[in-house]
Every structure is written in C-alpha cells, then in structure tokens.
Amino acid sequence: GFHGIQTVADQCYMELDCAIHGMRRPIAQLDIKIGLKTWEDDAPAEKIARAKKSFDAFYKDSSAKDGFRVCGMSAGDLKLNNESLKARKSVLTEEFGAWL
C-alpha cells in the first residue's frame, strides 16, 4: 500500500510496500519508469532542454513515448537490465507484450 510522502534531504519520496514481499519464486519483476517529464518543476531551462533532447535522441521510438519505460525485467531465466538494454535504449512497446 501507499504510506504517504516522506522527505529525505529536501527531496520528497513516496513510501510504498514491497510488492513482492512474501512471494515465492518464480516471479516476474519489472523496473518501470512512469511519465514523460524527467525534471523537477523548478529546474533551470538548460536542464529541461537537455532532458528533452536526450528523450528525443534515446527514447522517442520506444515505449517511453507512451508514458512508461521498462528499465529492467526478470522473469525466470530472462534477465534484462541497464547493461543488456543499453544498446537498444529501451524495450519497444510491441516487444514488451511478447516477452510476457
């Protein structure tokens, strides 16, 4: 469940339960980033411009354009992480469904 917002070193974080606590293997895990905006509300214009340029260069043809990005995944023997996805930039939307 959701346990509210916690502030640590002037940064706000959501406090959530561990979704897999108590489960037995095999289980599938996903590391998903949600949203298109990757900067703080008070970010300088230069940082916003860099983030938008980075998005266009790396993620515009991936699932990130749909508002989510798979950063890592494990399901049984299938393991996808930052290193194995780096050359591909992200998981394509149609591939995501096929891997499930």
Side-chain angles (χ1 to χ4, degrees):
F2 176 69
H3 299 283
I5 302 294
Q6 302 296 323
T7 303
V8 178
D10 295 328
Q11 290 288 321
C12 293
Y13 298 92
M14 291 188 298
E15 184 176 350
L16 305 170
D17 286 335
C18 177
I20 61 171
H21 178 73
M23 291 185 179
R24 292 190 215 157
R25 298 205 180 273
I27 58 174
Q29 298 178 58
L30 293 172
D31 180 3
I32 299 174
K33 306 301 181 205
I34 299 173
L36 299 174
K37 182 180 158 198
T38 60
W39 57 87
E40 298 83 15
D41 291 338
D42 60 349
E46 304 84 38
K47 181 174 182 177
I48 295 170
R50 280 194 315 273
K52 287 180 177 180
K53 183 177 179 181
S54 176
F55 179 88
D56 288 342
F58 294 105
Y59 302 120
K60 67 180 172 64
D61 294 325
S62 74
S63 60
K65 73 181 181 321
D66 299 325
F68 72 95
R69 180 168 55 96
V70 177
C71 300
M73 174 181 169
S74 69
D77 293 333
L78 175 62
K79 303 251 187 282
L80 301 170
N81 57 32
N82 188 40
E83 290 302 314
S84 61
L85 289 169
K86 191 175 279 189
R88 306 183 65 225
K89 309 299 187 237
S90 189
V91 176
L92 298 176
T93 301
E94 55 274 5
E95 291 175 318
F96 177 71
W99 282 338
L100 296 178

